Amino acid sequence: MSASAPVPPVAARNPTDRRIFVRATLDLGDVLLRPWGREAAELEAMLDGLVAAAGDPLIARWNPFPAADRTKAMTWVELREGGWDRGDAASFAVLGAADRTLLGAVGLRWVDRADGLAMIGYWTLPAARGRSVATRATCAVTDWAFATADARRIEIAHAVENEASCRVAHRCGYLPEGTLRESHQYGDGAYHDEHLHARLAADPAPAGLAV
């Protein structure tokens, strides 16, 4: 499935087929959200950025993934590409519009596709931090999922110590719903309590988002 393949309007599709993530590029002006894939024009920069991201201490702790070299980074990209092919996961590279350098990533996947329940996650490289890149990208993917894939509820779960991720969740209108005790094993090998946030399709859009 190519990024330019025509997609019928949601209303014209079978209701059982509405909850499919279809490749799209989201243009935020100075930032582009591009589907991960082997055919991406920016693939070389993406691979180099992934290797750098995998070695960043904060990413290695809170969002670890195996990309110690270009070969492993390509394997990671191919797995993200498979999610797009199946329509059950939407993984975006966050790129600088001017130079196409990798700034971060946003990933969305179905938790319960039939029920419209999805989960979203994100990370940014050091050069993108403090610039609202994660907030803007996460808001854009959230709105896109509600508008095009019939998502009903999207959740964010992050380690309670990850205050930066918590700020992004709040700024994107994801309301706090509680603490999940020893919910997930992170890159340090320990199980951490997580804060659970969620946003419903019916919730109002967040106000005052910095652009």
Side-chain angles (χ1 to χ4, degrees):
M1 185 185 299
S2 68
S4 59
V7 179
V10 168
R13 286 185 256 151
N14 187 306
T16 61
D17 295 333
R18 290 181 182 176
R19 289 177 173 141
I20 296 174
F21 298 128
V22 178
R23 286 177 176 85
T25 295
L26 308 183
D27 188 345
L28 308 186
D30 58 328
V31 173
L32 289 177
L33 275 62
R34 189 85 81 195
W36 293 102
R38 289 164 293 184
E39 302 303 317
E42 305 88 354
L43 180 60
E44 297 302 313
M46 288 178 173
L47 293 177
D48 289 338
L50 280 173
V51 173
D56 176 75
L58 285 179
I59 294 174
R61 184 179 187 189
W62 301 129
N63 302 93
F65 59 91
D69 54 43
R70 275 190 164 209
T71 299
K72 292 180 180 177
M74 178 61 83
T75 299
W76 188 91
V77 168
E78 290 171 347
L79 290 172
R80 310 283 85 72
E81 190 172 41
W84 281 110
D85 290 342
R86 296 186 300 273
D88 60 16
S91 300
F92 293 90
V94 181
L95 306 170
D99 57 10
R100 297 302 199 268
T101 57
L102 184 67
L103 301 177
V106 178
L108 183 72
R109 63 177 176 83
W110 290 119
V111 176
D112 187 332
R113 192 169 183 168
D115 191 44
L117 173 61
M119 180 163 279
I120 195 167
Y122 40 84
W123 52 260
T124 54
L125 282 155
R129 293 169 191 162
R131 296 167 46 191
S132 296
V133 171
T135 299
R136 295 170 59 206
T138 300
C139 282
V141 174
T142 298
D143 292 342
W144 170 83
F146 285 145
T148 69
D150 197 30
R152 179 188 64 83
R153 171 185 166 96
I154 304 177
E155 297 178 345
I156 291 172
H158 65 82
V160 297
E161 301 92 340
N162 190 348
E163 296 179 358
S165 188
C166 196
R167 289 193 294 271
V168 170
H170 281 288
R171 290 169 182 164
C172 291
Y174 282 78
L175 299 181
E177 295 191 343
T179 300
L180 308 173
R181 297 182 301 158
E182 295 189 7
S183 175
H184 184 73
Q185 187 179 31
Y186 282 86
D188 59 3
Y191 282 89
H192 289 256
D193 292 353
E194 293 186 303
H195 285 160
L196 176 66
H197 302 252
R199 185 169 154 190
L200 304 178
D203 286 342
L209 177 62
V211 296

